[in-house]
């Protein structure tokens, strides 16, 4: 190498660094305040303001106001500073932000300040002013300007923070700040997905670097084998909610450790466990370094479950608790949301990895290696089983939920072995159906329409509010013409976007010219956009090529598809699906009618869910835990055309769209694909296309518009994160926080007592005997007839207040089991002469047929989150 080449090869290290912030004229200083609060992402007054400042720069910066203010010319800033109209709009935007930050009242109105013992099993008064709920997630999809998300899980987490802000919840987000984020997608000439990773410039993003009082960076330290890894803390302000994220890209760390927060879902299993330790363990340490003391911890998926270990360690070392007492406090105040409908989607680590990276926790807890590993195993005695992050999270949480009603049932089946003696419907995994943040996903023109006819509160109004009846008052022509504008804007956007992507890979001038003519802004447009995993079946619509070509061509009733999405870099079958679509369009001469939009992101999603006419979803049931893109489409008035999976299974799929199939489950996937592809074609040919093109004398598709209105009226209030987050608050955060206050009161005395009680319970549970059950009627009985039941139970060393005795009644199914059983708590009547405890109850059957009756004993303690928490039950034999 020549000396000149060597000189250019040498990378110059700075002797000092500076964070240079934009220089704004004094009159424009409020722009800085607006840029650094993500409230602008769902406030059109503010986004219009930045677009007005420099439209081209706004778009080229990918809608990043901080980057825009740092690169705009001083001449343009001075010009804006002298523009009275611009200054007036800026003042309006600032007033709207100030008003928003001060008027978040749902939490104050709905949080009960005086919690009675009967309501919370607590002997103290909850103090909401001191509450803090920590929401942990591996990714957050908030805005295009922060590309640190991969898909639905991240966008759901971002919407969770936005609605928590809307509701005024005392919630903070915890995550990792990825230097390269998720990948950007580029399709080569063959249609094969390629990945590249642009570096995120944190100093030109709406991020604050957290500092110590002396001005130095706030750092936290996390122990890894043989070394300590350091991380700095960044904050993004989401309305009233701060999201704190850890960044290990520091010179004090080795090159490997700097890459812990390099890529989302990148690297091998060792890097994955490094990331999850940093998220869970580092996240807890970060919160304490910030002076925060959360009263409830929410694990969004299992990636952050190690937080439970760190919380237990801190309570043991700092507060002098033993492991059992610290675990009670941790469990009582932790929530876990699973998004995974199949075991293959759960993070599993070999036992030796867990022992190597986290074995010091076992020592700190006083547990043997196998006792520690059993925290993440379904069967404690299965010494070869991997360590499951989902199992750890479930065992360390007092509230567990799936993300749709169907997914809740699937999760009960997946994890029922943790409660081996309970009927599946009683497995304590509930469901809170996902939602989407309305102000983030509904197009500006639609929001203005809804504001005008429904009033400004529509975005958070529950389904029982009369304002939803006013959807019918929206004039059909106004709704339809508005939607046609959205479709036209989508077509213009896609043509421009395709041109930019083609130029990146050096496409020919002919390809660039053809990109300017793709799609027709007047014909039925079907949207499909999601992660390209094989179970989502992106190519199901190509199952019968001749038939889909006839549908696309139509006779005066043409159809076109807009498709987008990324496959994971290691998912070769997913990449094959993308290439299959590209090849189909080229080989059949349909590149203008079936368009794949590369590098899908939040902005493209917002354009598609507003500009398409119908939203297509074809997962292989029941593998779609929830899905949220169809919710966004419905909020914009789009009917859904979907398999009955995830959220769509509980929607009104007759009034607001069409169901592919009837919710059947198949053993043969090939047969399932044939059946459901045929059902899709039938719906398109016989219902969707005719309804769209059936126009009246005014040129309006009245039947289609009616379905659009039903989609808005029925789906907006139900599948909304305003509803979702309020559900989490009432069912999860409030009770968990109350339990935390209860168990930590009086120097943790209730936690210590509960731990001792549970130890005694496990020691003596199996000594109990159900000695006799007497039923007053033994033959045929009539509906409504009262039956008296008396039970004699030898509790052994346990006391009557330690247990709850229940009758369990229901219909007998084909296997001779009680189906859909209903429990009835029996009354304790004291002891007989031999010291056995006596219980009685009267019951009636409300339906005829073959009915069954059994009896069981469950644990009972005032500070248990539920009688199912210890996972013990004794049934009469």
């Amino acid at each position: 190498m020549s000396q000149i080449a060597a000189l250019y090869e040498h990378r110059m290290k700075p002797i000092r660094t500076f964070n240079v912030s934009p220089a704004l004229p004094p009159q424009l200083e409020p722009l800085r305040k607006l840029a650094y609060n993500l409230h602008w992402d769902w406030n059109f007054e503010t986004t219009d303001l930045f677009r007005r400042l420099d439209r081209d720069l706004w778009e080229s910066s990918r809608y990043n106001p901080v980057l825009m203010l740092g690169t705009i010319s001083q001449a343009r800033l001075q010009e804006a500073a002298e523009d009275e109209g611009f200054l007036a709009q800026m003042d309006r935007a600032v007033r709207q932000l100030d008003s928003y930050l001060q008027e978040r009242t749902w939490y104050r109105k709905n949080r009960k300040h005086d919690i009675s013992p009967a309501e919370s099993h607590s002997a103290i008064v909850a103090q909401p002013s001191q509450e803090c709920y920590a929401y942990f997630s591996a990714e957050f999809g908030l805005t295009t300007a922060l590309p640190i998300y991969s898909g639905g899980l991240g966008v759901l987490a971002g919407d969770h923070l936005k609605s928590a802000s809307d509701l005024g919840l005392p919630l903070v987000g915890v995550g990792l700040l990825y230097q390269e984020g998720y990948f950007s997608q580029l399709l080569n000439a063959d249609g094969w997905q390629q990945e590249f990773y642009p570096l995120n410039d944190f100093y030109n993003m709406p991020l604050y670097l957290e500092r110590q009082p002396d001005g130095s960076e706030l750092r936290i330290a996390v122990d890894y084998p043989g070394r300590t890894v350091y991380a700095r803390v960044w904050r993004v302000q989401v309305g009233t909610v701060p999201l704190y994220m850890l960044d290990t890209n520091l010179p004090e760390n080795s090159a490997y450790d700097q890459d812990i927060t390099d890529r989302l879902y990148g690297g091998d299993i060792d890097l994955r466990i490094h990331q999850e330790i940093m998220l869970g363990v580092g996240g807890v340490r970060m919160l304490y370094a910030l002076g925060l003391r959360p009263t409830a911890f929410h694990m969004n998926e299992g990636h952050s479950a190690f937080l439970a270990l760190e919380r237990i360690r801190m309570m043991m070392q700092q507060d002098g608790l033993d492991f059992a007492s610290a675990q009670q406090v941790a469990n009582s105040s932790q929530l876990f949301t699973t998004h995974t409908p199949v075991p293959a989607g759960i993070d599993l680590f070999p036992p030796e990895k867990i022992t190597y990276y986290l074995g010091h926790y076992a020592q700190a807890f006083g547990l043997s290696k196998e006792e520690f590993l059993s925290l993440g195993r379904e069967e404690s005695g299965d010494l070869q089983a991997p360590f499951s992050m989902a199992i750890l999270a479930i065992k360390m949480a007092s509230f567990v939920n799936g993300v749709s009603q169907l997914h809740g049932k699937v999760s009960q089946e997946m994890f029922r072995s943790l409660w081996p003696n309970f009927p599946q419907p009683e497995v304590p995994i509930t469901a809170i159906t996902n939602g989407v943040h309305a102000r983030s996903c509904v197009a500006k023109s639609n929001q203005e329409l809804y504001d005008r006819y429904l009033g400004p509160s529509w975005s958070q109004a529950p389904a029982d509010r009369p304002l939803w009846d006013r959807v019918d008052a929206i004039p059909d022509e106004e709704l339809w013409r508005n939607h046609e504008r959205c479709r036209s804007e989508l077509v213009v956007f896609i043509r421009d976007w395709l041109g930019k992507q083609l130029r990146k890979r050096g496409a020919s001038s002919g390809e660039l010219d053809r990109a300017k003519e793709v799609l027709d802004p007047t014909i039925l447009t079907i949207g499909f956009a999601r992660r390209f995993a094989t179970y989502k079946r992106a190519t199901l619509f190509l199952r019968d090529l001749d038939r889909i070509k006839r549908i696309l061509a139509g006779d005066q009733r043409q159809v076109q598809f807009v498709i987008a999405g990324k496959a994971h870099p290691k998912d070769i079958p997913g990449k094959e699906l993308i290439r299959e679509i590209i090849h189909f369009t080229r080989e059949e001469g349909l590149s203008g009618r079936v368009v794949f939009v590369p590098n899908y992101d939040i902005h493209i999603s917002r354009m598609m869910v507003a500009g398409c006419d119908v939203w297509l979803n074809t997962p292989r049931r029941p593998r779609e835990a929830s899905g949220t893109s169809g919710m966004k489409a419905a909020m914009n008035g789009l009917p859904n055309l979907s398999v009955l999976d995830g959220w769509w299974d509980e929607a009104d799929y007759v009034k607001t769209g069409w169901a592919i199939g009837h919710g059947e489950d198949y053993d043969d996937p090939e047969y399932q694909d044939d059946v459901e592809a045929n059902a899709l074609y039938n719906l398109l040919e016989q219902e969707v296309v005719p309804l769209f093109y059936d126009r009246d004398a005014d040129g309006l598709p009245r039947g289609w518009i009616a379905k659009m209105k039903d989609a808005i009226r029925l789906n907006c209030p139900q599948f909304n994160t305003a509803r979702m987050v309020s559900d989490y608050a009432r069912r999860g955060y409030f009770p968990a926080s109350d339990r935390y206050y209860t168990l930590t009161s009086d120097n943790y005395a209730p936690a210590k007592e509960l731990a001792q009680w549970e130890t005694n319970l496990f020691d003596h549970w199996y000594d109990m005997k159900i000695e006799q059950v007497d039923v007053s009627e033994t033959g045929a009985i009539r509906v409504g007839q009262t039956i008296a039941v008396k039970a004699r139970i030898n509790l052994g060393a346990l006391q009557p207040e330690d247990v709850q005795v229940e009758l369990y009644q229901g219909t007998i199914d084909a296997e001779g089991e009680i189906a859909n059983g209903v429990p009835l708590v029996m009354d304790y009547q004291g002891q007989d002469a031999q010291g056995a405890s006596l219980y009685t109850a009267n019951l009636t059957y409300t339906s005829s047929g073959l009915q069954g009756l059994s009896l069981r004993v469950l644990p009972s303690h005032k500070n248990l989150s539920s009688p199912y928490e210890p996972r013990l039950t004794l049934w009469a034999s």
Side-chain angles (χ1 to χ4, degrees), residues 748-763:
Y748 294 97
K752 297 172 184 175
E753 187 275 329
L754 180 59
Q756 293 171 355
W757 172 86
E758 193 165 275
T759 299
N760 182 66
L761 180 78
F762 278 96
D763 287 344

Side-chain angles (χ1 to χ4, degrees), residues 537 540 615-619 621 640-645 648 653 658-664 675-681 683:
R537 298 189 298 179
L540 186 69
W615 200 254
L616 178 65
N617 190 24
T618 51
R621 177 187 161 103
N640 273 259
L641 173 59
S642 176
V643 170
L644 289 175
D645 201 6
W648 189 236
Y653 46 78
W658 299 270
I660 300 172
H662 303 285
E664 304 92 342
V675 170
E676 294 182 342
N678 188 60
L680 170 59
Y681 297 139
L683 285 169

Side-chain angles (χ1 to χ4, degrees), residues 40-103:
W40 56 257
D41 182 69
W42 66 97
N43 180 269
F44 287 113
E45 188 75 58
T46 311
T47 53
D48 285 349
L49 180 73
F50 287 118
R51 184 180 292 106
R52 176 176 179 172
L53 192 59
D54 189 324
R55 184 184 186 91
D56 292 340
L57 189 55
W58 175 243
E59 293 180 357
S60 65
S61 71
R62 295 306 289 154
Y63 320 104
N64 179 350
V66 175
L67 176 59
M68 180 181 173
L69 293 179
T71 53
I72 195 170
S73 70
Q74 290 297 310
R76 175 63 188 122
L77 288 176
Q78 194 58 47
E79 182 183 326
E82 297 169 3
D83 183 339
E84 293 183 1
F86 183 87
L87 295 176
Q89 184 176 356
M90 182 183 68
D91 288 341
R92 286 197 304 273
V94 171
R95 286 197 302 272
Q96 287 178 10
L97 174 60
D98 289 340
S99 175
Y100 174 87
L101 296 176
Q102 295 169 6
E103 295 179 3

Side-chain angles (χ1 to χ4, degrees), residues 94-350:
V94 171
R95 286 197 302 272
Q96 287 178 10
L97 174 60
D98 289 340
S99 175
Y100 174 87
L101 296 176
Q102 295 169 6
E103 295 179 3
R104 309 298 93 207
T105 60
W106 183 92
Y107 170 74
R108 294 198 301 271
K109 291 178 180 177
N110 288 271
R111 183 62 167 127
K112 294 180 179 178
H113 286 235
D114 296 313
I115 307 296
S116 70
E119 291 175 304
S120 67
H121 305 301
S122 168
I124 65 167
V125 175
Q127 300 178 41
S129 62
Q130 300 174 12
E131 286 187 311
C132 175
Y133 314 138
Y135 180 84
F136 283 65
S137 183
E139 55 173 306
F140 288 89
L142 289 157
T143 177
T144 310
L146 285 170
I148 53 172
Y149 60 92
S150 71
L153 175 71
V155 176
L156 181 280
D159 282 4
H160 193 108
L161 300 192
K162 291 175 181 178
S163 278
S165 172
D166 292 342
L167 299 174
L169 289 187
L171 183 138
V172 298
V174 177
L176 302 179
L177 186 60
Y178 303 99
Q179 185 75 51
E180 297 183 1
Y182 206 51
F183 67 91
S184 290
Q185 180 191 55
L186 184 68
L187 301 183
N188 68 14
D190 187 45
W192 187 255
Q193 172 183 292
Q194 296 178 310
E195 301 88 27
F196 63 99
Y197 292 84
L199 288 178
N200 286 323
D201 180 2
F202 300 153
Y203 293 97
N204 274 316
M205 290 179 164
L207 296 165
Y208 296 93
L209 183 60
E210 291 295 318
R211 297 184 180 277
Q212 303 275 22
D214 64 2
S216 62
E217 291 182 2
L218 178 65
R219 302 281 180 89
I220 62 108
V222 177
D223 300 322
Y224 289 84
R227 69 202 193 281
T228 299
V229 179
Y230 299 93
R232 60 162 68 101
V233 181
W234 297 85
R235 169 171 57 91
V236 57
Q237 195 64 36
V238 187
T240 62
V241 169
L243 165 59
Y244 297 103
M245 293 176 287
L246 292 166
D247 165 24
T248 63
N249 190 21
L250 297 170
E252 295 90 333
N253 294 329
S254 68
Y256 183 91
D257 292 338
Q258 290 178 24
D259 288 347
I260 291 174
T261 57
D262 190 22
R263 294 180 179 177
L264 173 61
Y265 304 141
D268 57 15
I269 192 171
D270 284 283
L271 187 59
R272 175 62 67 91
I273 199 170
H274 275 79
Q275 288 184 332
E276 297 191 355
I277 290 171
M278 183 56 64
L279 176 61
V281 175
V284 171
R285 294 186 182 182
M286 174 182 67
L287 291 172
Y288 276 72
L290 289 163
L292 297 170
R293 299 295 183 268
T295 54
F297 287 75
H298 187 174
M299 298 171 277
N300 188 44
E301 255 310 336
H303 307 113
S304 61
F306 292 139
L307 70 84
L309 307 181
E310 179 63 8
R311 290 190 67 206
I312 292 170
R313 183 199 66 79
M314 292 178 72
M315 284 185 278
M316 292 178 69
Q317 294 187 0
Q318 297 177 8
D319 300 320
L321 298 185
D322 60 15
F323 172 74
S325 300
Q327 185 182 18
Q328 290 291 349
V329 177
N331 286 21
S332 70
S333 52
Q334 286 165 187
L335 301 81
F336 171 54
T337 297
T338 173
H339 295 256
T340 306
V342 289
I346 294 171
D347 278 343
L348 301 175
F349 295 114

Side-chain angles (χ1 to χ4, degrees), residues 390-575:
I391 297 298
L392 174 64
I394 290 172
K395 289 186 174 182
M396 291 290 179
S398 56
F399 181 89
V400 182
N401 72 284
V403 290
S404 69
Q405 300 306 307
L406 178 59
H407 180 236
K409 296 174 182 176
V410 170
S411 299
Q412 288 178 325
E413 177 62 32
M414 277 180 63
F415 300 112
R416 67 180 304 180
S417 63
L418 292 172
W419 292 270
N421 294 317
F422 287 87
Q424 181 180 326
E426 288 195 333
V427 170
I429 299 177
T430 185
I432 293 180
T433 301
N434 279 346
V436 293
H437 187 250
R439 292 287 182 183
S440 293
C441 68
V442 177
K444 179 186 177 184
S445 58
N446 286 333
Q447 290 197 34
E448 291 170 345
L449 197 66
Y450 303 166
D451 287 345
R452 192 157 59 247
Y453 289 99
L454 309 182
S457 65
W458 65 268
S459 61
Q460 297 183 52
D464 59 359
R465 293 289 173 83
L467 70 85
W468 294 111
D469 296 332
R470 298 201 289 270
V471 171
D472 290 332
I474 301 175
D476 284 0
E477 182 171 9
E478 191 171 357
L479 180 62
W480 183 245
R481 300 306 177 210
N482 181 71
H483 176 67
E484 289 191 311
R485 283 195 299 274
C486 289
R487 191 193 312 118
S488 296
E489 289 170 2
L490 173 66
V491 170
V492 171
F493 169 79
I494 289 175
R495 290 172 177 175
D496 180 62
W497 183 251
L498 286 178
K500 291 176 181 177
Q501 301 303 305
L502 288 169
R503 281 189 287 273
K504 282 184 180 179
R505 69 166 174 83
S508 67
S509 58
E511 287 180 286
L512 292 171
D513 288 340
R514 286 191 292 275
K516 297 175 183 176
E517 298 177 354
V518 301
L519 303 174
D520 183 330
T522 67
I523 68 176
L524 174 60
T525 304
I526 298 175
F528 180 99
R530 51 194 32 85
R531 184 165 54 92
F532 266 68
T534 52
Y535 79 87
K536 293 179 182 284
R537 298 189 298 179
T539 56
L540 186 69
F541 78 107
L542 300 178
R543 191 80 174 170
D544 184 333
L545 293 181
D546 290 335
R547 197 166 177 190
I548 191 60
K549 283 192 292 184
R550 288 197 301 271
I551 292 171
L552 288 166
D555 181 16
Q556 306 300 317
R557 294 185 166 191
Q558 298 174 335
V559 177
Q560 60 193 7
F561 282 78
V562 176
I563 302 170
K566 298 177 178 179
H568 187 277
K570 296 179 181 178
D571 185 0
I572 301 304
K575 293 183 179 183

